[in-house]
Amino acid sequence: MGCMFSHLAAKFAFFPPSPPTYHLTKNPDGKLSAVSASSSSTFPAAGDSSIDVRVVKTRRGNKVAAFYLRNPNARLTLLYSHGNAADLGQLVDLFVQLKVNLRVNLMGYDYSGYGASTGKPSEYDTYADIEAVYECLQTEYGVGQEDLILYGQSVGSGPTLHLASKLPRLRGVVLHSGILSGLRVLCHVKFKFCCDIYPNVKKIKKVKCPVLVIHGTEDDVVNWLHGNRLWKMAKEPYEPLWIKGGGHCNLEIYPDYIRHLYRFIQDMENTTTKSRLKKIWQEIRRRDESKGCCSFKLCRPKCPSCPKPSCDCGECGCCKCECLSLKGCFSCCKKPSCVGCCCPKFKCCNCFGKPTYPKCSCWKCLKCSESECCRSCCCAGCFSWLCCCGGGKRKELKTRGGETTVAKREG
């Protein structure tokens, strides 16, 4: 049943040019060339080593045509997945411009059933197509995921996000007029249907690299809301490009398109693993602070007598203590919020931050008005709490005849 619905959906999603705009021929040296159906021109031209024409076999048994364009100054490679009504013969000129202006190597391919590729187009065939082309980039050109940027236009956003969700160290993703899903292009729905294809709304959440979204505000095929939501759902969204007045198939003619895309490529070139991790942690910390609690949902104990609390989130009473005498005491989250004690070994605190262990004097000590105050308590074993109020002096609780007294001793 699922295959029948997928086959039905494919009829509405794929419109390969008929007849194809090019065909492949084999040269005397054994290499492949592409011949344009309109002008009968051949590419690559004789002696041109900057373009490779290849045929890649997929795990579903189809043979996919692919063009690889070299740039000697490139550091990154762009894997381009085109829209649903074009083939490589129509995109060669665009590929050459992108290769030169963005200073990248570029691999473009035709889906099964498009151009010189065999088979019939379907959602799962496009997944197999892009996986096979990526494997070709690895084995034939030595391109790792760390040096790869995936580019998906319109329907091409489907296979792009499919592969991106499987590559944790991918350098970046570009979604050009991307879709939330196939069915959502036709109607605004918030539910998943068995006949839907390309569930990008789900796969975007699994992408772990920067995502650039480009969309025209006047797109009458894929509404701008698709791009806006994809951008909002990305884990690491890059500054989007909303082209005012742009449609579905003409964004490349706007100057901002190549300018913004070039800036993205440059930022990805300058991005290292260390800087990416730092940026991710900064973003996590920023989001957690906006929620009022730390990322592990733990609360800091309140500082009863600190004259310089730097913050109080209100919701859980978190407080960063800036008091010099208590420096380091509450600078990080140690006590869970109503889920147990900070040191379960001694069970000295409950979820309200009050001592329950009979020999624990740390909280009373904090409330003490005397300057010679001690915080030595049962927590010393797990948090190494030392005296911070009395210059090394500390207090101890002693029981004499059933009465509790406080004795002072030099630490």
Side-chain angles (χ1 to χ4, degrees):
M1 181 67 70
C3 293
M4 182 183 71
F5 279 124
S6 179
H7 179 69
L8 180 63
K11 291 186 176 181
F12 294 96
F14 304 105
F15 302 96
S18 182
T21 63
Y22 72 99
H23 65 273
L24 301 183
T25 61
K26 182 175 285 189
N27 300 326
D29 59 1
K31 295 183 178 180
L32 293 175
S33 294
V35 180
S36 173
S38 59
S39 62
S40 298
S41 59
T42 301
F43 51 91
D48 185 3
S49 61
S50 64
I51 301 179
D52 288 346
V53 178
R54 310 188 68 93
V55 173
V56 182
K57 189 173 182 179
T58 74
R59 57 181 169 81
R60 294 172 68 91
N62 295 326
K63 294 182 178 179
V64 173
F67 295 170
Y68 181 77
L69 289 75
R70 292 184 181 86
N71 186 323
N73 299 317
R75 294 172 56 189
L76 300 177
T77 299
L78 200 69
L79 176 51
Y80 193 105
S81 301
H82 60 69
N84 68 339
D87 64 17
L88 291 179
Q90 299 169 318
L91 297 170
V92 172
D93 291 338
L94 173 64
F95 288 171
V96 172
Q97 292 178 20
L98 292 178
K99 178 195 76 168
V100 174
N101 294 328
L102 300 180
R103 202 175 60 184
V104 296
N105 298 316
L106 190 146
M107 173 72 93
Y109 67 101
D110 264 336
Y111 310 126
S112 297
Y114 277 71
S117 299
T118 63
K120 293 183 178 180
S122 72
E123 175 188 6
Y124 292 100
D125 277 309
T126 60
Y127 294 160
D129 297 341
I130 194 171
E131 289 172 0
V133 175
Y134 170 62
E135 184 178 353
C136 175
L137 282 173
Q138 287 183 303
T139 57
E140 300 297 330
Y141 300 100
V143 178
Q145 56 179 291
E146 299 87 354
D147 300 318
L148 184 65
I149 294 177
L150 301 183
Y151 188 112
Q153 179 188 14
S154 189
V155 165
S157 61
T160 291
L161 288 178
H162 166 78
L163 183 60
S165 65
K166 296 176 177 291
L167 302 180
R169 300 189 304 277
L170 188 66
R171 185 61 67 99
V173 169
V174 180
L175 300 179
H176 175 161
S177 302
I179 63 175
L180 289 169
S181 73
L183 187 60
R184 286 174 172 83
V185 175
L186 303 177
C187 55
H188 298 287
V189 294
K190 296 183 179 180
F191 307 99
K192 183 179 179 180
F193 293 87
C194 60
C195 61
D196 202 2
I197 62 174
Y198 296 129
N200 294 342
V201 67
K202 179 180 178 181
K203 293 185 178 182
I204 186 70
K205 301 175 183 178
K206 300 179 182 179
V207 178
K208 300 178 181 179
C209 63
V211 177
L212 166 62
V213 178
I214 303 174
H215 217 107
T217 59
E218 301 298 327
D219 192 328
D220 57 354
V221 178
V222 179
N223 192 281
W224 168 83
L225 294 175
H226 285 250
N228 186 47
R229 188 173 176 192
L230 287 171
W231 175 68
K232 289 182 177 179
M233 296 178 69
K235 283 188 175 181
E236 195 175 343
Y238 189 83
E239 180 185 352
L241 175 60
W242 311 130
I243 298 182
K244 187 176 181 181
H248 188 68
C249 301
N250 64 347
L251 301 187
E252 295 88 350
I253 67 175
Y254 289 84
D256 285 343
Y257 167 80
I258 198 68
R259 187 182 302 121
H260 198 84
L261 193 54
Y262 177 78
R263 182 156 62 91
F264 175 74
I265 297 295
Q266 292 298 305
D267 288 344
M268 295 306 100
E269 286 184 352
N270 298 328
T271 298
T272 62
T273 302
K274 183 177 180 180
S275 62
R276 280 185 62 184
L277 289 175
K278 182 179 180 180
K279 185 177 180 179
I280 291 173
W281 278 112
Q282 288 175 345
E283 178 64 18
I284 292 175
R285 191 177 297 112
R286 184 189 65 79
R287 291 179 181 179
D288 293 334
E289 289 177 354
S290 65
K291 293 178 182 178
C293 281
C294 64
S295 58
F296 298 99
K297 297 182 179 179
L298 303 179
C299 282
R300 300 177 176 89
K302 294 181 180 179
C303 182
S305 60
C306 175
K308 299 180 180 180
S310 62
C311 69
D312 189 346
C313 71
E315 181 179 348
C316 62
C318 297
C319 175
K320 286 184 179 179
C321 179
E322 293 184 349
C323 179
L324 295 178
S325 62
L326 300 178
K327 185 176 182 181
C329 298
F330 306 119
S331 61
C332 62
C333 291
K334 293 293 186 184
K335 191 177 83 57
S337 177
C338 297
V339 292
C341 175
C342 59
C343 46
K345 180 179 178 181
F346 297 99
K347 298 181 180 179
C348 65
C349 303
N350 58 24
C351 65
F352 296 102
K354 297 180 180 179
T356 55
Y357 193 81
K359 293 183 180 181
C360 179
S361 60
C362 60
W363 289 86
K364 292 182 180 179
C365 178
L366 289 177
K367 296 180 180 180
C368 178
S369 60
E370 299 181 15
S371 60
E372 297 179 354
C373 186
C374 161
R375 265 189 323 109
S376 176
C377 79
C378 63
C379 297
C382 49
F383 295 123
S384 299
W385 283 11
L386 301 175
C387 178
C388 61
C389 297
K393 298 182 179 181
R394 64 183 183 182
K395 289 184 179 181
E396 291 182 344
L397 285 179
K398 294 185 179 180
T399 305
R400 296 178 181 176
E403 295 182 357
T404 299
T405 60
V406 179
K408 300 180 181 177
R409 188 178 69 180
E410 296 292 331

